[in-house]
Amino acid sequence: MTAASRLVGIQRMLSTQEAQEGEKLVLALNNLTGRTMVLNRPKALNSLTLPMVQTIKRYLEDWEKSDLCDVVMLRSNSRKAFCAGGDVVQVSRDWRDGNKAQAMEFFRTEYKVNHHIATYKKPIVAMLDGFTMGGGVGLSVHAPFRVASENAVFAMPETKIGFFPDVGATFFLPRLDGELGVYLGLTGQKLKGRDLLYAGIATHYVPSERHALLEQRLQGLGTSDYTAINLAIEEFVAQPENSQSEDFVGVVNDVPIDFSLASVRDVIDICFKFNTIEAIMQALTEVANQPGPASEWAQKTYDQMNQMSPSSLKLTLEQLRRGAQLDIQKAFELELVLAERRLESHDMHEGIDALLVRKTNDAAWDPENINAVDIRELYSQYFEGEHETTPLYLGSTPFTEYPHKFGLPTEQEILDVVSGESPQAGGFGMTYELVMEFFMREYESKMGVEQKVNWVLSRRTELGDAGGTLRVIKS
């Protein structure tokens, strides 16, 4: 046997071992015309390894081609975590051990999986029960149906490990309401339960005790029609809470909204509208020094950002500003370049060691503060010139907005109806009742629509000069 043939044999053996490992950690369930992937690494909160993402990729490809599959579901075997991210400890170890191709293969395969979910030719339903962070967000947020439970916890905490929000965050975060995505990307702030619905991250809110029944319903539906699947999920959604806790905001007609950021939603736009981290930090300082309910939030947010890698903060802000103009394919291609450049940095490995290995949360960032980060050097290193990173070769038709919209209306869509800029709603001069009637009709009385529309109208509109009609308050 020649050396070359022995090498081929070793490579085949390793490939087989990885496939077997992946199939143990990502289970495939077939029932009628439904196919379910079950993440099965509970002790590691289902953090993704390279064999896992390779297995997910293979399942997606096989099921997309199968005439026996109508709908694909993604869930976890544990209520504690859907998926808490990628196994970046192993990626960092591979890179520093000289296995740079292996480290990059993880990101390349993961981003291909994320993109495939975004462009999949069949309905995908992601069941978000437990921690949904980093890589877990990438497996879910691009799907047309994203079902959150009361246990769901969303976060993109990458700046805390010296990285940047990836897995398609370049695309999805800038498309959330106002500056909400920038705030979440920079701070790593957690959202829980119904927060995900009102923030636009989830499309439905279904209590965890109903998830098994929902899965059975979808498996037996016998169709890949998106409208039929949406209606089937709506059968299991929970009524909005009618609580008067401190997390609720009273709005028009006394309808509350169960959104933990409701009281600071407008302040988020005020503070995070700027294009430099210095200006954002200054705005937070000004709000923190003013009397009012947002003062404590602003100080907390300022302190959060001070814990993050300064270079990650500046990189992330520029990434998200550019992402607002990119199509889905270019967003992932940019992330692959940024990932390789970031693996070459000090901060990523130091952040991973401090938070996930030493668990001391005492990273020594370099540069150590935002003023020491040269923005021109950062632009040159990450965004300008030619890069040798191997392209993703994604191959599908790119888009600048997600093709399927089954969540709540965005704030801008609501304001466009009020201002007469929505062709579906007619002209100017709409009263509160007419606006509400329009959205309840368009969204077929979807749970949460009344609460969000009411809340947005109370914050962003006022009575006009004639007959109870509304007009948008200029921000």
Side-chain angles (χ1 to χ4, degrees):
M1 180 181 291
T2 66
S5 61
R6 283 198 299 272
L7 178 59
V8 170
I10 292 171
Q11 289 174 334
R12 285 176 178 170
M13 180 183 69
L14 292 175
S15 177
T16 301
Q17 289 175 345
E18 287 184 347
Q20 291 173 343
E21 178 188 347
E23 289 170 2
K24 291 178 182 177
L25 301 178
V26 183
L27 307 179
L29 306 180
N30 299 341
N31 189 1
L32 301 175
T33 64
R35 301 292 181 269
T36 303
M37 271 184 270
V38 183
L39 302 181
N40 187 40
R41 198 186 178 205
K43 291 183 179 179
L45 300 179
N46 291 324
S47 61
L48 298 171
T49 63
L50 178 57
M52 288 175 73
V53 293
Q54 289 171 332
T55 300
I56 294 170
K57 181 175 181 288
R58 185 171 71 255
Y59 289 155
L60 287 173
E61 290 169 348
D62 290 347
W63 293 344
E64 190 172 38
K65 292 180 288 188
S66 172
D67 292 335
L68 302 177
C69 171
D70 285 327
V71 60
V72 172
M73 286 158 279
L74 284 146
R75 65 171 173 86
S76 163
N77 64 350
S78 167
R79 288 185 179 179
K80 190 173 183 180
F82 169 72
C83 171
D87 192 347
V88 291
V89 172
Q90 185 60 51
V91 171
S92 175
R93 186 179 295 128
D94 285 341
W95 184 270
R96 287 186 285 186
D97 287 347
N99 300 323
K100 296 185 176 181
Q102 179 86 349
M104 283 305 297
E105 185 60 25
F106 172 80
F107 288 119
R108 182 174 287 105
T109 307
E110 183 182 32
Y111 297 170
K112 283 184 176 180
V113 166
N114 302 151
H115 181 269
H116 197 182
I117 290 171
T119 58
Y120 209 62
K121 294 181 175 61
K122 293 179 180 179
I124 295 180
V125 182
M127 308 279 204
L128 310 184
D129 200 21
F131 290 112
T132 304
M133 301 179 178
V137 175
L139 289 181
S140 56
V141 77
H142 306 294
F145 302 102
R146 306 170 306 273
V147 180
S149 78
E150 72 280 7
N151 302 317
V153 179
F154 164 95
M156 292 297 290
E158 287 79 8
T159 55
K160 198 169 186 177
I161 60 167
F163 199 45
F164 65 93
D166 64 333
V167 296
T170 303
F171 188 83
F172 76 79
L173 283 179
R175 286 160 178 79
L176 298 181
D177 288 333
E179 300 297 333
L180 184 58
V182 175
Y183 164 67
L184 295 173
L186 291 175
T187 65
Q189 177 66 31
K190 294 177 182 176
L191 298 179
K192 301 177 182 180
R194 280 189 174 86
D195 284 345
L196 278 68
L197 178 66
Y198 292 113
I201 294 158
T203 57
H204 301 78
Y205 177 82
V206 175
S208 59
E209 63 184 13
R210 303 179 189 175
H211 279 202
L213 291 174
L214 171 58
E215 184 178 349
Q216 292 175 16
R217 176 80 169 93
L218 295 176
Q219 288 168 338
L221 202 58
T223 181
S224 58
D225 180 77
Y226 286 82
T227 300
I229 289 169
N230 180 56
L231 291 175
I233 298 172
E234 290 287 347
E235 295 172 10
F236 294 84
V237 300
Q239 292 277 354
E241 295 282 355
N242 285 313
S243 168
Q244 295 299 325
S245 73
E246 61 182 12
D247 286 341
F248 287 78
V249 175
V251 291
V252 179
N253 294 343
D254 296 322
V255 177
I257 183 166
D258 190 358
F259 185 26
S260 64
L261 298 177
S263 62
V264 294
R265 176 63 196 85
D266 292 330
V267 187
I268 288 173
D269 283 0
I270 291 170
C271 293
F272 285 84
K273 66 184 178 182
F274 300 101
N275 291 325
T276 68
I277 295 297
E278 290 87 346
I280 290 172
M281 298 293 271
Q282 178 60 35
L284 288 169
T285 300
E286 292 174 1
V287 174
N289 290 333
Q290 295 173 359
S295 176
E296 182 179 350
W297 168 86
Q299 186 61 57
K300 177 185 174 184
T301 303
Y302 183 94
D303 293 341
Q304 277 180 295
M305 291 180 64
N306 262 336
Q307 297 176 16
M308 310 307 185
S309 160
S311 58
S312 285
L313 289 176
K314 289 198 172 183
L315 170 61
T316 296
L317 182 59
E318 180 64 19
Q319 164 209 355
L320 297 182
R321 293 297 185 226
R322 292 182 182 226
Q325 309 301 322
L326 296 178
D327 63 44
I328 188 80
Q329 182 166 319
K330 286 186 171 60
F332 280 111
E333 289 172 349
L334 172 62
E335 288 185 0
L336 192 65
V337 171
L338 299 184
E340 186 167 28
R341 296 291 87 82
R342 208 60 190 157
L343 279 166
E344 296 170 348
S345 74
H346 161 275
D347 275 11
M348 181 174 177
H349 303 288
E350 171 63 15
I352 290 170
D353 280 351
L355 189 66
L356 303 175
V357 180
R358 302 194 305 265
K359 299 185 178 179
T360 53
N361 200 20
D362 61 350
W365 305 122
D366 183 21
E368 64 180 357
N369 59 63
I370 59 171
N371 293 326
V373 180
D374 187 325
I375 193 67
R376 289 170 297 182
E377 182 179 327
L378 184 140
Y379 285 170
S380 175
Q381 182 180 0
Y382 291 94
F383 297 102
E384 297 173 358
E386 296 294 324
H387 297 284
E388 297 179 0
T389 307
T390 305
L392 283 171
Y393 301 115
L394 296 172
S396 62
T397 303
F399 51 76
T400 56
E401 296 292 339
Y402 287 111
H404 304 290
K405 295 187 177 182
F406 293 100
L408 301 182
T410 66
E411 292 186 10
Q412 192 58 56
E413 286 169 343
I414 295 168
L415 297 179
D416 284 347
V417 168
V418 175
S419 65
E421 296 178 34
S422 171
Q424 288 81 20
F428 292 94
M430 295 190 75
T431 63
Y432 165 83
E433 290 77 15
L434 287 175
V435 174
M436 187 60 65
E437 180 183 320
F438 169 79
F439 280 103
M440 295 303 286
R441 181 178 66 252
E442 287 293 304
Y443 285 79
E444 299 181 332
S445 299
K446 178 182 176 68
M447 294 296 181
V449 169
E450 180 183 13
Q451 287 71 27
K452 182 167 184 180
V453 174
N454 242 343
W455 174 58
V456 172
L457 293 180
S458 74
R459 291 168 37 229
R460 300 295 310 278
T461 68
E462 61 187 2
L463 289 177
D465 297 328
T469 59
L470 299 175
R471 64 186 176 198
V472 177
I473 299 172
K474 300 298 182 181
S475 56

